[in-house]
Every structure is written in C-alpha cells, then in structure tokens.
Amino acid sequence: MKKLLLLFIVLPIILSSASALTYEDKPNVTAYIVGTNHLTRGDYKALNIVIYNPAEMKKVDYIDREEAAFFSGREDLLFTAYNVNLTLVGNEYIEVKTPEQKIPALPPLQPVNLAFVVKVSDEAKAGKYELKLKIRYDRIDKLLYLDTYYPQLFPVQKTVQGKNETVTYKYEVLTERYKLRYKEECKDITIPIYIEEKEVKLEVVKVSVENIMGKSKGKIIIEVKNVGEKAGKNAYLVLETPSGFKASALSLSQAQTMPSIQQPPVMPSGISIPSAMQPTIPSTMPSAQPSYYIGDLKPGETAKAIFYIKTDVKDEGNYTFKIKAVYLNEFGQIVESDPVPFGIYVEKAPDFIVKSVESKVFVNSKGVVVVTLIPTTDLNDVSVYLTANPPLSVLSTEYYLGNVKAGKEYKAIFKVQASDEAKPVTYPAEIKLKYRSMDEYFYTDQKSVGIKVNPKMKFEIYGTPKIAAGSEGIVSFTIKNVGNFTVKEATARLTITDPFSSSDDTAYIGTLEPGQTAEIKFKLSVDADATPKKYGLNLEVKYKDLEDEWAISEPTKAVIEVVPSKPPYGVIAFVSIIAIIAIAYYLRRRRK
C-alpha cells in the first residue's frame, strides 16, 4: 500500500519534468529558388533562395495552467523558428562563395529572401545538379519556470525639451521572470540547378580604326568570335558607345561580303536595320541603336562589323565601347548576349596655331588681313573662317586652303573693312578651321586674334605761299605721303573760305608712294580788303587705296600769307619823278 501511494506521488513529478508542449503545426523551415536556376559554365552569379516558415497557429496542448496562462496571447512565440542557420553546400562543379547565413527569428508566413553567390566551373557538363541547403534552427519546447512578482515601481528620468526644460518621471513595472527550453531541429533541402550550354558569347578578336580623333568622323572595323555553345540566328552586332560618341552602321549595300539571306531577317529589339534591307518594323520598337546584320553566327565562327563613329570629344585617350549580339535562339525568342567591352584610342581633336596676323586695314577703308597659321593635324578640304564685330566687318569670311599637312605654314587672306567710327587700335576677332572627315564637315574650336586698324592716310603740306590782298595768283605747295602705302589717282582739294575765292580748288597729284613728295598748285583770288596775315585752309586728298577703293584723307592745314596790296603803276611813276626833282634840287644847292 505504501509503495502504491509513493508511485502516485512520484509519477506526476516525473511526467511534469519529462513532458513538453504539444501542438499540431510546429515551426518549420522550407526553401525554394526565386528566379532562374539555369546556369551556364563559367557563370558567377547569385542564386535567390526564399526561406519560409509554413507553420500555422493550430491547436496547442499545455501541460498546466501556468504554461497556458503564460502563452495566452503569445502563441506566435510557439510557431516561430529561432536562431536559423543556413549553409548552401556545393559540389565539385558548383562552388558556393557565400558563407553561412543566420536569421535570428523566422515568424510564420513571413518569407525572407537570401542571396547565395555561386561559381560554375568551366568543366561542368550540361545537365542537372543538386545543391544541399543545410538548415538548423530552434523551436520552443517547454516553459521551464515562471516567477511572478508584486508590482514594483522604478523611477526613470526623462527630459522634455521646450521653452522651459522640465523633468518628469516614468514608472515601469516588473511582474515576471521566465525561462524557456528550446529544441534544435536540423534538415537538408535539395536545391536543383541546371547547367545549360552557353548562349552566344562574343569575344573581340580584332579592332581596326581609321581616322578616329576628336571632333571628327572615323570608322572602326570589329571582328568578333562566338565562343558560346549555341548558334544565333539572324544575328546583329550592336555597338554601345560612351558619352560624346555617335555610331552608325555601314549599310548593306556598301559591305563587300554579307551572308546570304533566304528570308527577311527578324528585327531584334532596340536596333535598326541598315538601309539596303528594311523588313517591317513593329511600331512598338524602342529607339534604334547602331547595328550590323551578320546572319547566323554558329559556335566558333567569327564575323566582322563596320561602324562609322562621330566624336564630339576633344581630349585624347582610351574610351570604352561595348559590342553585343542580338539574335533569335532555338525557340525563336529574341536574346541579347552580354556586352563585351573593348577600348579605342582617340587622338586629340584637330587644332591649329596662329603664328601671325598682318593687317592692312585703315580707318574708313577696306584692307587685307593675312593670317599665318600652322595646323597640328593633316586635314582635308580645309577652309579658314574669320569673324569680327563692328566697327569691323569681314567682307570675305572664308578662305579655302585645301588639304593641309601638320606643322606646315599656311596663309589665309581676308578682306576687312573698318568703318569711319573705327579707332586706330587693335580689335578682337575669331578664327576657326572647317575640315572634312569622311563625308562630313567639322569645325575646330575658335581662337581669338587681333586685327590692327591703322590710322587714316596722312599727308603733310610744306610751304607758305604769299598773295597780295585784292589780287589773283597761283599758290604752290609741296605735299608728302607720310602714310604706309601708295595712293593712286590722288587729287588735292582746298576748302575755300573768306577772304579767298577760286574757280578751281583742286590739284591733281596722281600716284604718290610713301615718303614721296609732289608739287600742287591752286589759282586763288583775295579780297581787296583782306587783312594781311597768314590763313590756314583745310586740304584733303581723295585717292584710291590698296583695294582700289576711293578714300579721303584726314584734312591737313595749307597755310597762305596775305600781304598788303601793291599801289597802281601811275602813282609809282609820279612818286618817282617827285623824288628825282627833289634830289636834283638838293644837289644844286650844295654846289652853290
């Protein structure tokens, strides 16, 4: 009887310590791939694996009231997986680069996306492979103990910011302390991976360039090889250019050898068909890219494409381009290969050096400006352009040089006119080159030059002729060309003012070289009541300048002296007789 009583006392204790929570749907961890699990040899990419806890909150059997009271309202704790550790294990052909990943807690019905980076060996054969995802996690197994306390108040200081800083107190209540027992679960999930044959993969075999430099148009010939294991049907080679470059493909009609086409090629997305063969393009196609049709491209085969390149950059250096293939796969779907980068060296944009600027432009006249320049690059069909602002106007803005060689001097001649408002100073102007590159024309950057405007042609007048008041006579001057060029068909003109008058105020000079003098004569009349003194009259010279254009010089002063008028001849004779008689009378008296 005592033994039976002892059994009834001990059995509940044993059952209480050994038993655990029981519920229908315990926390679990499953996994599946999102996206593709199809890889190719040599791939180095991430597999996206979703981790998921499918547990549902169903019936739970508690051991005692204490346990039931504790988990009441906290049932989600029972269905959560804790300390989840995940390791993806590869094999001899697929290497996993990502180490073990951990999730502190995985609640039910809340998937988590993880990325595992894998590398596929180049020796892997096409087929199905299996990776193992090893999963280890904990779940709640039992409430070990629960201690409850009477409410206790703990002051916590809290600062409130405002106009006046105040301090208040918040009280927290500690009511219980508990400990849970966890059970570790382990499982393996198979992740299937399929290794496929390599799609079309390009390898740049050779790149040839022609006339590739800044601010120009050139040509590149690129040869590629399909190092993949699949063929591309109706393939196009599409060129991707960096910023500052614009490409266009050589048309089929210009190509020397092109693949035979049994039927119109299908238009891949985002590229343009050259002009020689234009299949119908769907209206939904995006903007065109430069493309070159090469037909079917089988594994191991090579193909060439020719592209024209327009450059809008000035700096020399290596620039990165990319080439890719757009084709139809074995299912008739449009596929793009991975772009393959390659470099092209771009030479510095054409430039030139202005060695000298010689100006024969004068105020209020037309003249010649000769610019001596040196190109830095061999160029074709070169023209030099000159522009200027008022008071200068360029009458011939373009001067053709033709083909030029780098380092050689060339002269460009322009006709420029300076208005009468121009000053004898140097005015700014702009000069640039236009040149042909392939079949298009481009311009160099402009350079500033100075155009000197020379003073108006000047003449100096020598001599001060005299003329008596009330008389008419010929006055002569010596005129000198003190300018910088020879004048032709020159004519001097006096501006007649009181007390002078003239029926002919001009004198012909003809041709007068710099430093040369000539005599000019004018017939003038002077009023009888003119005051004897020196008078200055303006004298201008009208002449033909270097461009055979008529011009008028700055006025200069011609000085004429007016002397008193001469008495009449009768008066002179009478005065002479009186003087003779007086002298005779004087001599006679001395003798006596």
Side-chain angles (χ1 to χ4, degrees), residues 9-64:
I9 295 173
V10 175
L11 183 60
I13 297 175
I14 296 174
L15 291 175
S16 175
S17 60
S19 64
L21 286 168
T22 58
Y23 41 101
E24 292 184 7
D25 203 357
K26 296 181 177 62
N28 191 11
V29 178
T30 186
Y32 56 89
I33 286 185
V34 174
T36 183
N37 61 343
H38 290 251
L39 306 176
T40 59
R41 286 190 292 275
D43 272 350
Y44 191 99
K45 60 175 56 177
L47 294 176
N48 293 316
I49 300 179
V50 172
I51 308 303
Y52 183 68
N53 179 3
E56 297 182 15
M57 296 183 185
K58 295 182 179 180
K59 180 182 178 181
V60 181
D61 293 329
Y62 300 104
I63 297 174
D64 49 39

Side-chain angles (χ1 to χ4, degrees), residues 92-275:
E92 61 177 317
Y93 296 111
I94 302 176
E95 180 184 2
V96 179
K97 296 292 187 179
T98 304
E100 180 184 62
Q101 299 198 53
K102 298 181 179 181
I103 303 174
L106 185 62
L109 308 180
Q110 296 184 24
V112 176
N113 192 2
L114 300 178
F116 290 87
V117 176
V118 298
K119 185 180 186 307
V120 181
S121 171
D122 291 329
E123 286 73 32
K125 296 181 179 180
K128 180 180 179 181
Y129 292 80
E130 292 183 349
L131 303 181
K132 294 295 182 181
L133 181 63
K134 292 186 173 296
I135 303 174
R136 179 171 52 83
Y137 63 95
D138 298 328
R139 65 177 179 84
I140 295 176
D141 184 54
K142 183 181 179 180
L143 176 65
L144 292 179
Y145 65 82
L146 174 66
D147 295 333
T148 59
Y149 301 87
Y150 289 105
Q152 300 182 39
L153 302 180
F154 296 89
V156 177
Q157 182 172 300
K158 179 181 179 183
T159 302
V160 179
Q161 297 291 340
K163 293 184 178 179
N164 297 316
E165 185 175 290
T166 60
V167 178
T168 61
Y169 290 91
K170 175 184 177 182
Y171 293 88
E172 296 182 350
V173 180
L174 178 64
T175 60
E176 63 183 9
R177 184 178 63 179
Y178 62 89
K179 184 176 182 180
L180 298 173
R181 184 177 72 185
Y182 294 87
K183 183 179 181 180
E184 184 179 85
E185 302 283 354
C186 296
K187 63 185 300 185
D188 292 344
I189 296 178
T190 300
I191 304 295
I193 300 295
Y194 296 90
I195 305 298
E196 297 181 341
E197 292 181 337
K198 288 184 179 180
E199 296 286 345
V200 172
K201 185 177 181 180
L202 298 184
E203 179 184 274
V204 176
V205 177
K206 183 180 180 182
V207 177
S208 302
V209 300
E210 178 182 339
N211 202 49
I212 299 296
M213 58 184 174
K215 295 285 185 179
S216 65
K217 182 177 181 179
K219 182 170 66 175
I220 65 172
I221 303 172
I222 180 168
E223 183 178 352
V224 298
K225 182 179 181 180
N226 181 6
V227 295
E229 297 173 324
K230 292 185 179 181
K233 297 181 180 179
N234 289 336
Y236 291 80
L237 294 182
V238 181
L239 185 67
E240 297 180 5
T241 60
S243 177
F245 295 83
K246 184 178 180 181
S248 59
L250 179 68
S251 66
L252 291 178
S253 60
Q254 293 173 295
Q256 295 180 358
T257 58
M258 292 300 298
S260 59
I261 303 173
Q262 303 298 328
Q263 57 184 3
V266 179
M267 178 65 179
S269 172
I271 65 173
S272 61
I273 299 292
S275 59

Side-chain angles (χ1 to χ4, degrees), residues 299-490:
E301 287 186 344
T302 60
K304 287 184 180 181
I306 302 174
F307 295 93
Y308 287 117
I309 305 293
K310 287 177 65 175
T311 59
D312 194 31
V313 298
K314 296 185 295 183
D315 298 331
E316 63 179 332
N318 286 301
Y319 292 83
T320 301
F321 290 69
K322 293 181 180 180
I323 190 81
K324 66 181 178 181
V326 181
Y327 59 95
L328 298 178
N329 62 14
E330 64 268 33
F331 306 108
Q333 299 170 326
I334 297 174
V335 182
E336 294 185 4
S337 70
D338 292 333
V340 180
F342 64 95
I344 290 182
Y345 182 79
V346 179
E347 296 180 357
K348 189 176 181 180
D351 200 1
F352 63 97
I353 299 169
V354 177
K355 185 176 181 181
S356 63
V357 178
E358 181 184 356
S359 173
K360 295 183 178 179
V361 179
F362 294 82
V363 174
N364 195 28
S365 68
K366 300 174 184 177
V368 170
V369 174
V370 180
V371 180
T372 302
L373 53 87
I374 304 172
T376 61
T377 309
D378 293 351
L379 297 172
N380 297 325
D381 287 347
V382 176
S383 291
V384 186
Y385 281 81
L386 180 68
T387 57
N389 295 318
L392 301 184
S393 57
V394 183
L395 304 180
S396 57
T397 59
E398 179 181 4
Y399 188 87
Y400 183 72
L401 294 178
N403 298 340
V404 300
K405 296 292 183 180
K408 187 177 178 181
E409 291 186 10
Y410 296 88
K411 292 184 182 297
I413 302 173
F414 302 92
K415 184 178 288 188
V416 178
Q417 182 174 18
S419 70
D420 57 355
E421 297 178 354
K423 304 296 182 182
V425 295
T426 299
Y427 288 93
E430 302 286 343
I431 191 169
K432 62 183 178 182
L433 303 185
K434 183 180 79 170
Y435 55 94
R436 179 174 57 82
S437 182
M438 293 291 181
D439 57 345
E440 296 189 37
Y441 285 90
F442 298 84
Y443 291 91
T444 64
D445 290 341
Q446 292 190 141
K447 290 185 182 295
S448 295
V449 296
I451 297 178
K452 181 181 179 182
V453 175
N454 300 292
K456 277 187 175 182
M457 175 60 70
K458 289 185 178 180
F459 297 88
E460 290 182 355
I461 303 297
Y462 302 101
T464 307
K466 297 179 180 181
I467 187 170
S471 66
E472 181 182 59
I474 303 295
V475 293
S476 298
F477 300 95
T478 298
I479 189 169
K480 182 179 181 181
N481 179 358
V482 293
N484 297 321
F485 61 90
T486 300
V487 297
K488 300 176 182 179
E489 301 182 30

Side-chain angles (χ1 to χ4, degrees), residues 529-545:
D529 57 352
T531 302
K533 66 175 185 177
K534 292 180 180 179
Y535 292 85
L537 300 182
N538 285 338
L539 184 144
E540 295 176 334
V541 179
K542 183 179 180 181
Y543 58 91
K544 281 189 175 182
D545 60 17

